Amino acid sequence: MFSCMLLSTICRCRSVFVLHMGSGCVIYTLVACTVGWISPETGVWQKIGMIAAQLAAAFLIWFFFLLHYRREAKEMNERIQEMKKGKD
């Protein structure tokens, strides 16, 4: 029961995470261009590559957190089931 609630929360948070990381990457890229960290002479494909790398890093971070929380939910469910068996 608890894992279902946790997983549904994770599913709802996916879209929030995508919006959060997407907007963060866009803002970071705009600031980097404005401040001069990314040269104006940088080609379009290099900029696209940088954005793709940022999104890939964000996805990897999200994916590892997803695995962590799924494992944690599974462990909690196992403990809850053990506690229920102890009451019977």
Side-chain angles (χ1 to χ4, degrees), residues 31-51:
V31 169
C33 289
T34 303
V35 175
W37 295 339
I38 300 174
S39 172
E41 291 85 29
T42 302
V44 174
W45 290 110
Q46 289 176 329
K47 289 179 183 175
I48 291 173
M50 286 185 267
I51 292 170

Side-chain angles (χ1 to χ4, degrees), residues 26-72:
V26 168
I27 291 170
Y28 174 79
T29 304
L30 290 175
V31 169
C33 289
T34 303
V35 175
W37 295 339
I38 300 174
S39 172
E41 291 85 29
T42 302
V44 174
W45 290 110
Q46 289 176 329
K47 289 179 183 175
I48 291 173
M50 286 185 267
I51 292 170
Q54 290 174 8
L55 293 176
F59 175 77
L60 285 174
I61 292 168
W62 169 80
F63 182 71
F64 287 123
F65 271 103
L66 176 72
L67 293 178
H68 168 74
Y69 286 122
R70 278 189 180 175
R71 183 174 38 91
E72 194 171 282

Side-chain angles (χ1 to χ4, degrees), residues 5 7-17:
M5 290 179 359
L7 287 176
S8 68
T9 302
I10 290 172
C11 290
R12 276 186 266 129
C13 291
R14 285 181 188 174
S15 60
V16 173
F17 179 80

